[in-house]
Amino acid sequence: MELSKNYKIVFDEMDWIEVGDGMRFKRIQQGDMQVRLVEWDKAMVHPNWCLKGHIGYITEGDVEIDIAGKVYRYGVGDVFILPDGEEHKHRPKVLSEKVRFFAVEKIS
């Protein structure tokens, strides 16, 4: 989906993209960037490390993110900034029934 003419993102008018395994999202792309509304539930298991960078703002729920072997907890109102690369490899674990957050990312 592209940005609307009034520069407003209305996630309520967008369909969820079901990824499976307890993860879904809504996305808008602009140039080499994207903004996503992401939702994970308890069924989401992320066995592999993610090397892609993300900036996220938690709007609902609690999550632990293992970043290169050190675990950090994030909840409503928290922002995380994860740079690209092996030294910032990360994987989440949902602590509440679900976690919802906005993510800003480069499209690779």
Side-chain angles (χ1 to χ4, degrees), residues 30-85:
Q30 183 68 29
D32 67 345
M33 298 295 290
Q34 69 180 4
V35 176
R36 295 188 303 154
L37 176 60
V38 181
E39 187 176 279
W40 296 330
D41 67 27
K42 283 266 201 196
M44 196 274 302
V45 176
H46 209 294
N48 301 316
W49 292 101
C50 179
L51 304 178
K52 182 178 178 182
H54 313 278
I55 297 172
Y57 174 75
I58 307 287
T59 61
E60 183 178 342
D62 295 293
V63 64
E64 285 181 347
I65 302 177
D66 182 336
I67 304 170
K70 188 167 183 183
V71 176
Y72 300 89
R73 185 177 179 147
Y74 300 92
V76 174
D78 289 337
V79 176
F80 56 86
I81 300 175
L82 301 169
D84 287 335

Side-chain angles (χ1 to χ4, degrees), residues 4-18:
S4 67
K5 299 239 185 265
N6 65 359
Y7 300 94
K8 184 177 185 179
I9 299 170
V10 183
F11 281 115
D12 287 342
E13 295 176 0
M14 299 169 65
D15 294 328
W16 286 102
I17 298 169
E18 300 284 342

